[in-house]
Amino acid sequence: MNIKNLANMSSSIKPEPAKGSIKTLIGLLPFLQPYKRQFLLAGLALIVAAAATLAIPYAFRQMIDLGFGSRGIGGADAAASTLHIDLYFLALFGVACILGVATAARFYMVSWLGERVTADLRSAVYAHVVTQSPQFFETTKTGEVLSRLTTDTTLIQTLVGTSISMALRNGLLFIGGMVMLFITSVKLSSIIIVMLAAVVLPIVFYGRRVRKLSRESQDRVADASALAGEILNAMPTVQAFTHEEIEARRFGTSVERAFHTAMQRIRARSVLTMMAILLVFGAIVFVLWLGAHAVVQGSMSGGQLGQFILYASLVAGSIGALSEVLGDTQRAAGATERLLDLLAAQSPVQSVLLPETLPASLSSCTANGAALQLEDVVFHYPSRPDSNALMHLSLDIKPGETIAVVGPSGAGKTTLFQLLLRFYDPQQGRITLDGVDIRFLTLSALRSAIGIVPQDTVIFSENALENIRFGRADASDDEVIAAAKMAAAHEFIERLPQGYQSFLGERGVRLSGGQRQRIAIARALLKNPPLLLLDEATSALDAESERLVQTALEAAMVGRTTLVIAHRLATVQRADRIIVVEHGRIVETGTHTELIAQNGLYASLAALQFNTD
């Protein structure tokens, strides 16, 4: 199933009003509908297997009454009895063959469905999560998402691949068994129905507690996974501050909390199973005691009682199995609710249904670059509604112009870049790229026109070649190497053990900070965008590397519009204009010389840098 179909599935998901209940499982229907044929085949095999199972007690009755019930033990009667016994044992073997084949077919089909639906669900959830804006990840832990993709989907796999089949099979056995019980003895069956109704009510009531504990157990496991993911991604910091034992204790406490919650669920489910077995079998044993007296009195034959016992066993077994399936279903309902919560999450930043298009000249870097305009932009982060990050910011940037954005920490410099990339939308004002409001562009078209070198470089668990190729997936090896040379990364990559094929480690742990930054610069240069955003692109470089990269960046800036966040005067002095931002407002604008002469905030920042350098 392709990603487009999975996206359609996720878009059709609607939150269910009865959250935490089994009704939540209705939300899985979009993932089950594509496989109607497989469900029909599995259902057919299930019906055949159930019918074969229900035929066995009837065959035993015939064998007992017609085989062992003959009057004599010799002569013609004995021969007839032997013939009956042979025929019914052959019939039993034939039923067993049918049962075996049908059961194997059912197991194969439902197992395939479990694996297939789970794979689709994981892909759909992941494809949906990666489209969420940064606002989503401000409140959702990565470890929790991973727990939902693994633990919760495994529970649903058990539901689809086992529990649904078991529920249907035992449901059919229960219905068929009850019908055959009434055919065998209306009186005894009526008594057993009344007694079963009396014992089912407490089982259903107690099942609600199991469902609640199941959800709590899954939440505690997700908490432990989130904590582990956060700490494992920050191991150098943890070890530098000697927090290994502290974090181990924190995780141990979280695991113990999950264990105790799981044990509450297990105890509740054990009690539920015990109640189901004792109450149901107690009722059946009482009815069978009545049947035994009926045989002694001659109102039932031995074969009828044997048939009744076997059907009663099937009914009792099916009820016990259904109670077990109910526990799995309740856990899967909790898992489904959590997954549907993810699928129901809608990013506040969306592509419009009828997008506009950028000028053809912006499909790649041209000799002119892109015109950029910000008009009275006001923005605050959703998590901080009372504190504006940008206040009535207006800026007009000509094609090919290089603009440096400077200011103290927290002034709004990085926020500006996040708005340009539409990670967020401003609450007021608008941003245009070559005259087109970026809100009317698809996110893909907008971001394809922008290259960025972030301050916090991200290196993937791939080799050097693929890490740079992340900038443009269809780039050839020669283009990747050319970009690496422009970013002054070629020499140190060549010195790696396997050169460009060298694995860089998780989060680039095998590289220095400066080397990681040059990989990021090569990635942006490979993309070759008309608008280039440099967020402290040379902050982690030593003097020699900075000189090499600065030369490469100057060449890369030619023919494209560039915004630079930087404190290093080597970058700032070469800018066409310098924008000084403070408290989300533009307080100064000009060249380096003009701003020094104004003796304002920029002059103060420059003086501090000169003093520290």
Side-chain angles (χ1 to χ4, degrees), residues 544-568:
E544 177 62 20
S545 296
E546 182 183 6
R547 182 185 65 80
L548 294 171
V549 172
Q550 193 61 50
T551 302
L553 288 176
E554 288 175 9
M557 291 176 188
V558 175
R560 55 168 56 91
T561 305
T562 308
L563 269 71
V564 183
I565 294 176
H567 296 298
R568 306 248 182 149

mmCIF file with all atom_site columns, all heavy atoms in Angstrom, residues 544-568:
data_model
loop_
_atom_site.group_PDB
_atom_site.id
_atom_site.type_symbol
_atom_site.label_atom_id
_atom_site.label_alt_id
_atom_site.label_comp_id
_atom_site.label_asym_id
_atom_site.label_entity_id
_atom_site.label_seq_id
_atom_site.pdbx_PDB_ins_code
_atom_site.Cartn_x
_atom_site.Cartn_y
_atom_site.Cartn_z
_atom_site.occupancy
_atom_site.B_iso_or_equiv
_atom_site.pdbx_formal_charge
_atom_site.auth_seq_id
_atom_site.auth_comp_id
_atom_site.auth_asym_id
_atom_site.auth_atom_id
_atom_site.pdbx_PDB_model_num
ATOM 1   N N   . GLU A 1 544 ? 40.813 28.303 10.679 1.00 0.00 ? 544 GLU A N   1
ATOM 2   C CA  . GLU A 1 544 ? 41.152 27.844 9.339  1.00 0.00 ? 544 GLU A CA  1
ATOM 3   C C   . GLU A 1 544 ? 39.913 27.353 8.593  1.00 0.00 ? 544 GLU A C   1
ATOM 4   O O   . GLU A 1 544 ? 39.680 27.690 7.433  1.00 0.00 ? 544 GLU A O   1
ATOM 5   C CB  . GLU A 1 544 ? 42.197 26.730 9.431  1.00 0.00 ? 544 GLU A CB  1
ATOM 6   C CG  . GLU A 1 544 ? 42.586 26.104 8.091  1.00 0.00 ? 544 GLU A CG  1
ATOM 7   C CD  . GLU A 1 544 ? 43.230 27.117 7.130  1.00 0.00 ? 544 GLU A CD  1
ATOM 8   O OE1 . GLU A 1 544 ? 43.720 28.173 7.603  1.00 0.00 ? 544 GLU A OE1 1
ATOM 9   O OE2 . GLU A 1 544 ? 43.236 26.861 5.911  1.00 0.00 ? 544 GLU A OE2 1
ATOM 10  N N   . SER A 1 545 ? 39.085 26.538 9.294  1.00 0.00 ? 545 SER A N   1
ATOM 11  C CA  . SER A 1 545 ? 37.859 26.045 8.658  1.00 0.00 ? 545 SER A CA  1
ATOM 12  C C   . SER A 1 545 ? 36.913 27.193 8.346  1.00 0.00 ? 545 SER A C   1
ATOM 13  O O   . SER A 1 545 ? 36.258 27.215 7.307  1.00 0.00 ? 545 SER A O   1
ATOM 14  C CB  . SER A 1 545 ? 37.162 25.031 9.568  1.00 0.00 ? 545 SER A CB  1
ATOM 15  O OG  . SER A 1 545 ? 37.966 23.880 9.753  1.00 0.00 ? 545 SER A OG  1
ATOM 16  N N   . GLU A 1 546 ? 36.847 28.171 9.240  1.00 0.00 ? 546 GLU A N   1
ATOM 17  C CA  . GLU A 1 546 ? 35.960 29.308 8.998  1.00 0.00 ? 546 GLU A CA  1
ATOM 18  C C   . GLU A 1 546 ? 36.383 30.062 7.750  1.00 0.00 ? 546 GLU A C   1
ATOM 19  O O   . GLU A 1 546 ? 35.549 30.493 6.952  1.00 0.00 ? 546 GLU A O   1
ATOM 20  C CB  . GLU A 1 546 ? 35.960 30.245 10.207 1.00 0.00 ? 546 GLU A CB  1
ATOM 21  C CG  . GLU A 1 546 ? 35.013 31.432 10.011 1.00 0.00 ? 546 GLU A CG  1
ATOM 22  C CD  . GLU A 1 546 ? 35.054 32.401 11.170 1.00 0.00 ? 546 GLU A CD  1
ATOM 23  O OE1 . GLU A 1 546 ? 35.894 32.227 12.071 1.00 0.00 ? 546 GLU A OE1 1
ATOM 24  O OE2 . GLU A 1 546 ? 34.249 33.356 11.160 1.00 0.00 ? 546 GLU A OE2 1
ATOM 25  N N   . ARG A 1 547 ? 37.691 30.202 7.566  1.00 0.00 ? 547 ARG A N   1
ATOM 26  C CA  . ARG A 1 547 ? 38.170 30.900 6.373  1.00 0.00 ? 547 ARG A CA  1
ATOM 27  C C   . ARG A 1 547 ? 37.779 30.141 5.114  1.00 0.00 ? 547 ARG A C   1
ATOM 28  O O   . ARG A 1 547 ? 37.295 30.745 4.145  1.00 0.00 ? 547 ARG A O   1
ATOM 29  C CB  . ARG A 1 547 ? 39.706 31.053 6.441  1.00 0.00 ? 547 ARG A CB  1
ATOM 30  C CG  . ARG A 1 547 ? 40.300 31.824 5.264  1.00 0.00 ? 547 ARG A CG  1
ATOM 31  C CD  . ARG A 1 547 ? 41.805 31.823 5.354  1.00 0.00 ? 547 ARG A CD  1
ATOM 32  N NE  . ARG A 1 547 ? 42.352 30.482 5.212  1.00 0.00 ? 547 ARG A NE  1
ATOM 33  C CZ  . ARG A 1 547 ? 42.508 29.868 4.030  1.00 0.00 ? 547 ARG A CZ  1
ATOM 34  N NH1 . ARG A 1 547 ? 42.145 30.473 2.903  1.00 0.00 ? 547 ARG A NH1 1
ATOM 35  N NH2 . ARG A 1 547 ? 43.021 28.661 3.985  1.00 0.00 ? 547 ARG A NH2 1
ATOM 36  N N   . LEU A 1 548 ? 37.949 28.811 5.138  1.00 0.00 ? 548 LEU A N   1
ATOM 37  C CA  . LEU A 1 548 ? 37.600 28.010 3.972  1.00 0.00 ? 548 LEU A CA  1
ATOM 38  C C   . LEU A 1 548 ? 36.095 28.052 3.696  1.00 0.00 ? 548 LEU A C   1
ATOM 39  O O   . LEU A 1 548 ? 35.647 28.240 2.562  1.00 0.00 ? 548 LEU A O   1
ATOM 40  C CB  . LEU A 1 548 ? 38.045 26.557 4.196  1.00 0.00 ? 548 LEU A CB  1
ATOM 41  C CG  . LEU A 1 548 ? 39.549 26.321 4.293  1.00 0.00 ? 548 LEU A CG  1
ATOM 42  C CD1 . LEU A 1 548 ? 39.833 24.884 4.727  1.00 0.00 ? 548 LEU A CD1 1
ATOM 43  C CD2 . LEU A 1 548 ? 40.230 26.626 2.963  1.00 0.00 ? 548 LEU A CD2 1
ATOM 44  N N   . VAL A 1 549 ? 35.290 27.887 4.757  1.00 0.00 ? 549 VAL A N   1
ATOM 45  C CA  . VAL A 1 549 ? 33.851 27.873 4.581  1.00 0.00 ? 549 VAL A CA  1
ATOM 46  C C   . VAL A 1 549 ? 33.340 29.250 4.206  1.00 0.00 ? 549 VAL A C   1
ATOM 47  O O   . VAL A 1 549 ? 32.420 29.390 3.394  1.00 0.00 ? 549 VAL A O   1
ATOM 48  C CB  . VAL A 1 549 ? 33.165 27.363 5.865  1.00 0.00 ? 549 VAL A CB  1
ATOM 49  C CG1 . VAL A 1 549 ? 31.656 27.528 5.768  1.00 0.00 ? 549 VAL A CG1 1
ATOM 50  C CG2 . VAL A 1 549 ? 33.521 25.912 6.102  1.00 0.00 ? 549 VAL A CG2 1
ATOM 51  N N   . GLN A 1 550 ? 33.933 30.291 4.772  1.00 0.00 ? 550 GLN A N   1
ATOM 52  C CA  . GLN A 1 550 ? 33.494 31.652 4.442  1.00 0.00 ? 550 GLN A CA  1
ATOM 53  C C   . GLN A 1 550 ? 33.696 31.933 2.961  1.00 0.00 ? 550 GLN A C   1
ATOM 54  O O   . GLN A 1 550 ? 32.847 32.539 2.304  1.00 0.00 ? 550 GLN A O   1
ATOM 55  C CB  . GLN A 1 550 ? 34.277 32.662 5.288  1.00 0.00 ? 550 GLN A CB  1
ATOM 56  C CG  . GLN A 1 550 ? 33.695 34.065 5.245  1.00 0.00 ? 550 GLN A CG  1
ATOM 57  C CD  . GLN A 1 550 ? 32.280 34.104 5.787  1.00 0.00 ? 550 GLN A CD  1
ATOM 58  O OE1 . GLN A 1 550 ? 32.003 33.594 6.862  1.00 0.00 ? 550 GLN A OE1 1
ATOM 59  N NE2 . GLN A 1 550 ? 31.373 34.699 5.031  1.00 0.00 ? 550 GLN A NE2 1
ATOM 60  N N   . THR A 1 551 ? 34.802 31.458 2.429  1.00 0.00 ? 551 THR A N   1
ATOM 61  C CA  . THR A 1 551 ? 35.051 31.619 0.993  1.00 0.00 ? 551 THR A CA  1
ATOM 62  C C   . THR A 1 551 ? 34.005 30.865 0.179  1.00 0.00 ? 551 THR A C   1
ATOM 63  O O   . THR A 1 551 ? 33.478 31.377 -0.817 1.00 0.00 ? 551 THR A O   1
ATOM 64  C CB  . THR A 1 551 ? 36.459 31.098 0.637  1.00 0.00 ? 551 THR A CB  1
ATOM 65  O OG1 . THR A 1 551 ? 37.430 31.820 1.409  1.00 0.00 ? 551 THR A OG1 1
ATOM 66  C CG2 . THR A 1 551 ? 36.750 31.275 -0.836 1.00 0.00 ? 551 THR A CG2 1
ATOM 67  N N   . ALA A 1 552 ? 33.677 29.637 0.634  1.00 0.00 ? 552 ALA A N   1
ATOM 68  C CA  . ALA A 1 552 ? 32.669 28.843 -0.062 1.00 0.00 ? 552 ALA A CA  1
ATOM 69  C C   . ALA A 1 552 ? 31.297 29.507 0.031  1.00 0.00 ? 552 ALA A C   1
ATOM 70  O O   . ALA A 1 552 ? 30.538 29.549 -0.946 1.00 0.00 ? 552 ALA A O   1
ATOM 71  C CB  . ALA A 1 552 ? 32.608 27.436 0.538  1.00 0.00 ? 552 ALA A CB  1
ATOM 72  N N   . LEU A 1 553 ? 30.967 30.043 1.207  1.00 0.00 ? 553 LEU A N   1
ATOM 73  C CA  . LEU A 1 553 ? 29.671 30.686 1.374  1.00 0.00 ? 553 LEU A CA  1
ATOM 74  C C   . LEU A 1 553 ? 29.550 31.938 0.513  1.00 0.00 ? 553 LEU A C   1
ATOM 75  O O   . LEU A 1 553 ? 28.480 32.231 -0.029 1.00 0.00 ? 553 LEU A O   1
ATOM 76  C CB  . LEU A 1 553 ? 29.443 31.037 2.851  1.00 0.00 ? 553 LEU A CB  1
ATOM 77  C CG  . LEU A 1 553 ? 29.176 29.855 3.795  1.00 0.00 ? 553 LEU A CG  1
ATOM 78  C CD1 . LEU A 1 553 ? 29.074 30.333 5.231  1.00 0.00 ? 553 LEU A CD1 1
ATOM 79  C CD2 . LEU A 1 553 ? 27.922 29.111 3.380  1.00 0.00 ? 553 LEU A CD2 1
ATOM 80  N N   . GLU A 1 554 ? 30.645 32.680 0.389  1.00 0.00 ? 554 GLU A N   1
ATOM 81  C CA  . GLU A 1 554 ? 30.600 33.880 -0.455 1.00 0.00 ? 554 GLU A CA  1
ATOM 82  C C   . GLU A 1 554 ? 30.314 33.507 -1.897 1.00 0.00 ? 554 GLU A C   1
ATOM 83  O O   . GLU A 1 554 ? 29.539 34.186 -2.586 1.00 0.00 ? 554 GLU A O   1
ATOM 84  C CB  . GLU A 1 554 ? 31.931 34.628 -0.354 1.00 0.00 ? 554 GLU A CB  1
ATOM 85  C CG  . GLU A 1 554 ? 32.123 35.328 0.990  1.00 0.00 ? 554 GLU A CG  1
ATOM 86  C CD  . GLU A 1 554 ? 33.503 35.955 1.112  1.00 0.00 ? 554 GLU A CD  1
ATOM 87  O OE1 . GLU A 1 554 ? 34.241 35.982 0.096  1.00 0.00 ? 554 GLU A OE1 1
ATOM 88  O OE2 . GLU A 1 554 ? 33.851 36.417 2.210  1.00 0.00 ? 554 GLU A OE2 1
ATOM 89  N N   . ALA A 1 555 ? 30.904 32.402 -2.345 1.00 0.00 ? 555 ALA A N   1
ATOM 90  C CA  . ALA A 1 555 ? 30.621 31.943 -3.702 1.00 0.00 ? 555 ALA A CA  1
ATOM 91  C C   . ALA A 1 555 ? 29.173 31.455 -3.813 1.00 0.00 ? 555 ALA A C   1
ATOM 92  O O   . ALA A 1 555 ? 28.492 31.689 -4.816 1.00 0.00 ? 555 ALA A O   1
ATOM 93  C CB  . ALA A 1 555 ? 31.589 30.816 -4.085 1.00 0.00 ? 555 ALA A CB  1
ATOM 94  N N   . ALA A 1 556 ? 28.685 30.812 -2.748 1.00 0.00 ? 556 ALA A N   1
ATOM 95  C CA  . ALA A 1 556 ? 27.321 30.287 -2.773 1.00 0.00 ? 556 ALA A CA  1
ATOM 96  C C   . ALA A 1 556 ? 26.285 31.399 -2.730 1.00 0.00 ? 556 ALA A C   1
ATOM 97  O O   . ALA A 1 556 ? 25.182 31.266 -3.254 1.00 0.00 ? 556 ALA A O   1
ATOM 98  C CB  . ALA A 1 556 ? 27.103 29.343 -1.592 1.00 0.00 ? 556 ALA A CB  1
ATOM 99  N N   . MET A 1 557 ? 26.636 32.535 -2.117 1.00 0.00 ? 557 MET A N   1
ATOM 100 C CA  . MET A 1 557 ? 25.693 33.644 -2.003 1.00 0.00 ? 557 MET A CA  1
ATOM 101 C C   . MET A 1 557 ? 25.464 34.361 -3.331 1.00 0.00 ? 557 MET A C   1
ATOM 102 O O   . MET A 1 557 ? 24.444 35.032 -3.509 1.00 0.00 ? 557 MET A O   1
ATOM 103 C CB  . MET A 1 557 ? 26.198 34.654 -0.966 1.00 0.00 ? 557 MET A CB  1
ATOM 104 C CG  . MET A 1 557 ? 26.172 34.154 0.463  1.00 0.00 ? 557 MET A CG  1
ATOM 105 S SD  . MET A 1 557 ? 26.902 35.372 1.594  1.00 0.00 ? 557 MET A SD  1
ATOM 106 C CE  . MET A 1 557 ? 26.976 34.441 3.118  1.00 0.00 ? 557 MET A CE  1
ATOM 107 N N   . VAL A 1 558 ? 26.378 34.187 -4.241 1.00 0.00 ? 558 VAL A N   1
ATOM 108 C CA  . VAL A 1 558 ? 26.256 34.874 -5.529 1.00 0.00 ? 558 VAL A CA  1
ATOM 109 C C   . VAL A 1 558 ? 25.037 34.331 -6.273 1.00 0.00 ? 558 VAL A C   1
ATOM 110 O O   . VAL A 1 558 ? 24.889 33.127 -6.468 1.00 0.00 ? 558 VAL A O   1
ATOM 111 C CB  . VAL A 1 558 ? 27.534 34.672 -6.374 1.00 0.00 ? 558 VAL A CB  1
ATOM 112 C CG1 . VAL A 1 558 ? 27.354 35.297 -7.762 1.00 0.00 ? 558 VAL A CG1 1
ATOM 113 C CG2 . VAL A 1 558 ? 28.736 35.288 -5.671 1.00 0.00 ? 558 VAL A CG2 1
ATOM 114 N N   . GLY A 1 559 ? 24.149 35.236 -6.697 1.00 0.00 ? 559 GLY A N   1
ATOM 115 C CA  . GLY A 1 559 ? 22.992 34.828 -7.475 1.00 0.00 ? 559 GLY A CA  1
ATOM 116 C C   . GLY A 1 559 ? 21.826 34.321 -6.660 1.00 0.00 ? 559 GLY A C   1
ATOM 117 O O   . GLY A 1 559 ? 20.850 33.839 -7.207 1.00 0.00 ? 559 GLY A O   1
ATOM 118 N N   . ARG A 1 560 ? 21.896 34.416 -5.345 1.00 0.00 ? 560 ARG A N   1
ATOM 119 C CA  . ARG A 1 560 ? 20.765 34.014 -4.520 1.00 0.00 ? 560 ARG A CA  1
ATOM 120 C C   . ARG A 1 560 ? 20.605 34.991 -3.363 1.00 0.00 ? 560 ARG A C   1
ATOM 121 O O   . ARG A 1 560 ? 21.550 35.660 -2.938 1.00 0.00 ? 560 ARG A O   1
ATOM 122 C CB  . ARG A 1 560 ? 20.917 32.591 -3.996 1.00 0.00 ? 560 ARG A CB  1
ATOM 123 C CG  . ARG A 1 560 ? 22.181 32.310 -3.235 1.00 0.00 ? 560 ARG A CG  1
ATOM 124 C CD  . ARG A 1 560 ? 22.115 30.961 -2.505 1.00 0.00 ? 560 ARG A CD  1
ATOM 125 N NE  . ARG A 1 560 ? 21.830 29.843 -3.358 1.00 0.00 ? 560 ARG A NE  1
ATOM 126 C CZ  . ARG A 1 560 ? 22.744 29.090 -3.975 1.00 0.00 ? 560 ARG A CZ  1
ATOM 127 N NH1 . ARG A 1 560 ? 24.028 29.398 -3.835 1.00 0.00 ? 560 ARG A NH1 1
ATOM 128 N NH2 . ARG A 1 560 ? 22.403 28.069 -4.715 1.00 0.00 ? 560 ARG A NH2 1
ATOM 129 N N   . THR A 1 561 ? 19.396 35.077 -2.878 1.00 0.00 ? 561 THR A N   1
ATOM 130 C CA  . THR A 1 561 ? 19.107 35.908 -1.720 1.00 0.00 ? 561 THR A CA  1
ATOM 131 C C   . THR A 1 561 ? 19.525 35.149 -0.468 1.00 0.00 ? 561 THR A C   1
ATOM 132 O O   . THR A 1 561 ? 19.238 33.959 -0.324 1.00 0.00 ? 561 THR A O   1
ATOM 133 C CB  . THR A 1 561 ? 17.603 36.227 -1.657 1.00 0.00 ? 561 THR A CB  1
ATOM 134 O OG1 . THR A 1 561 ? 17.204 36.819 -2.893 1.00 0.00 ? 561 THR A OG1 1
ATOM 135 C CG2 . THR A 1 561 ? 17.292 37.171 -0.519 1.00 0.00 ? 561 THR A CG2 1
ATOM 136 N N   . THR A 1 562 ? 20.218 35.855 0.434  1.00 0.00 ? 562 THR A N   1
ATOM 137 C CA  . THR A 1 562 ? 20.764 35.189 1.606  1.00 0.00 ? 562 THR A CA  1
ATOM 138 C C   . THR A 1 562 ? 20.433 35.970 2.869  1.00 0.00 ? 562 THR A C   1
ATOM 139 O O   . THR A 1 562 ? 20.620 37.192 2.911  1.00 0.00 ? 562 THR A O   1
ATOM 140 C CB  . THR A 1 562 ? 22.294 35.027 1.505  1.00 0.00 ? 562 THR A CB  1
ATOM 141 O OG1 . THR A 1 562 ? 22.624 34.408 0.261  1.00 0.00 ? 562 THR A OG1 1
ATOM 142 C CG2 . THR A 1 562 ? 22.819 34.183 2.649  1.00 0.00 ? 562 THR A CG2 1
ATOM 143 N N   . LEU A 1 563 ? 19.926 35.244 3.879  1.00 0.00 ? 563 LEU A N   1
ATOM 144 C CA  . LEU A 1 563 ? 19.761 35.812 5.218  1.00 0.00 ? 563 LEU A CA  1
ATOM 145 C C   . LEU A 1 563 ? 20.721 35.100 6.146  1.00 0.00 ? 563 LEU A C   1
ATOM 146 O O   . LEU A 1 563 ? 20.756 33.858 6.178  1.00 0.00 ? 563 LEU A O   1
ATOM 147 C CB  . LEU A 1 563 ? 18.320 35.636 5.724  1.00 0.00 ? 563 LEU A CB  1
ATOM 148 C CG  . LEU A 1 563 ? 17.343 36.777 5.414  1.00 0.00 ? 563 LEU A CG  1
ATOM 149 C CD1 . LEU A 1 563 ? 17.014 36.783 3.934  1.00 0.00 ? 563 LEU A CD1 1
ATOM 150 C CD2 . LEU A 1 563 ? 16.083 36.648 6.255  1.00 0.00 ? 563 LEU A CD2 1
ATOM 151 N N   . VAL A 1 564 ? 21.484 35.890 6.897  1.00 0.00 ? 564 VAL A N   1
ATOM 152 C CA  . VAL A 1 564 ? 22.527 35.335 7.744  1.00 0.00 ? 564 VAL A CA  1
ATOM 153 C C   . VAL A 1 564 ? 22.284 35.767 9.183  1.00 0.00 ? 564 VAL A C   1
ATOM 154 O O   . VAL A 1 564 ? 22.170 36.964 9.467  1.00 0.00 ? 564 VAL A O   1
ATOM 155 C CB  . VAL A 1 564 ? 23.923 35.805 7.298  1.00 0.00 ? 564 VAL A CB  1
ATOM 156 C CG1 . VAL A 1 564 ? 25.005 35.147 8.144  1.00 0.00 ? 564 VAL A CG1 1
ATOM 157 C CG2 . VAL A 1 564 ? 24.140 35.528 5.826  1.00 0.00 ? 564 VAL A CG2 1
ATOM 158 N N   . ILE A 1 565 ? 22.178 34.790 10.075 1.00 0.00 ? 565 ILE A N   1
ATOM 159 C CA  . ILE A 1 565 ? 22.231 35.087 11.503 1.00 0.00 ? 565 ILE A CA  1
ATOM 160 C C   . ILE A 1 565 ? 23.660 34.821 11.938 1.00 0.00 ? 565 ILE A C   1
ATOM 161 O O   . ILE A 1 565 ? 24.146 33.693 11.831 1.00 0.00 ? 565 ILE A O   1
ATOM 162 C CB  . ILE A 1 565 ? 21.256 34.194 12.299 1.00 0.00 ? 565 ILE A CB  1
ATOM 163 C CG1 . ILE A 1 565 ? 19.815 34.508 11.935 1.00 0.00 ? 565 ILE A CG1 1
ATOM 164 C CG2 . ILE A 1 565 ? 21.459 34.390 13.801 1.00 0.00 ? 565 ILE A CG2 1
ATOM 165 C CD1 . ILE A 1 565 ? 18.808 33.605 12.617 1.00 0.00 ? 565 ILE A CD1 1
ATOM 166 N N   . ALA A 1 566 ? 24.337 35.843 12.403 1.00 0.00 ? 566 ALA A N   1
ATOM 167 C CA  . ALA A 1 566 ? 25.747 35.669 12.754 1.00 0.00 ? 566 ALA A CA  1
ATOM 168 C C   . ALA A 1 566 ? 26.183 36.742 13.719 1.00 0.00 ? 566 ALA A C   1
ATOM 169 O O   . ALA A 1 566 ? 25.658 37.854 13.724 1.00 0.00 ? 566 ALA A O   1
ATOM 170 C CB  . ALA A 1 566 ? 26.621 35.696 11.509 1.00 0.00 ? 566 ALA A CB  1
ATOM 171 N N   . HIS A 1 567 ? 27.148 36.369 14.533 1.00 0.00 ? 567 HIS A N   1
ATOM 172 C CA  . HIS A 1 567 ? 27.788 37.337 15.420 1.00 0.00 ? 567 HIS A CA  1
ATOM 173 C C   . HIS A 1 567 ? 29.199 37.655 14.957 1.00 0.00 ? 567 HIS A C   1
ATOM 174 O O   . HIS A 1 567 ? 29.775 38.654 15.375 1.00 0.00 ? 567 HIS A O   1
ATOM 175 C CB  . HIS A 1 567 ? 27.824 36.802 16.856 1.00 0.00 ? 567 HIS A CB  1
ATOM 176 C CG  . HIS A 1 567 ? 26.462 36.619 17.457 1.00 0.00 ? 567 HIS A CG  1
ATOM 177 N ND1 . HIS A 1 567 ? 25.598 37.655 17.651 1.00 0.00 ? 567 HIS A ND1 1
ATOM 178 C CD2 . HIS A 1 567 ? 25.823 35.508 17.902 1.00 0.00 ? 567 HIS A CD2 1
ATOM 179 C CE1 . HIS A 1 567 ? 24.476 37.206 18.202 1.00 0.00 ? 567 HIS A CE1 1
ATOM 180 N NE2 . HIS A 1 567 ? 24.594 35.894 18.356 1.00 0.00 ? 567 HIS A NE2 1
ATOM 181 N N   . ARG A 1 568 ? 29.742 36.806 14.089 1.00 0.00 ? 568 ARG A N   1
ATOM 182 C CA  . ARG A 1 568 ? 31.106 37.015 13.624 1.00 0.00 ? 568 ARG A CA  1
ATOM 183 C C   . ARG A 1 568 ? 31.143 38.163 12.623 1.00 0.00 ? 568 ARG A C   1
ATOM 184 O O   . ARG A 1 568 ? 30.429 38.153 11.627 1.00 0.00 ? 568 ARG A O   1
ATOM 185 C CB  . ARG A 1 568 ? 31.629 35.736 12.964 1.00 0.00 ? 568 ARG A CB  1
ATOM 186 C CG  . ARG A 1 568 ? 31.519 34.507 13.870 1.00 0.00 ? 568 ARG A CG  1
ATOM 187 C CD  . ARG A 1 568 ? 32.875 34.026 14.286 1.00 0.00 ? 568 ARG A CD  1
ATOM 188 N NE  . ARG A 1 568 ? 32.785 32.823 15.103 1.00 0.00 ? 568 ARG A NE  1
ATOM 189 C CZ  . ARG A 1 568 ? 33.718 31.885 15.119 1.00 0.00 ? 568 ARG A CZ  1
ATOM 190 N NH1 . ARG A 1 568 ? 34.770 31.996 14.342 1.00 0.00 ? 568 ARG A NH1 1
ATOM 191 N NH2 . ARG A 1 568 ? 33.597 30.855 15.918 1.00 0.00 ? 568 ARG A NH2 1
#
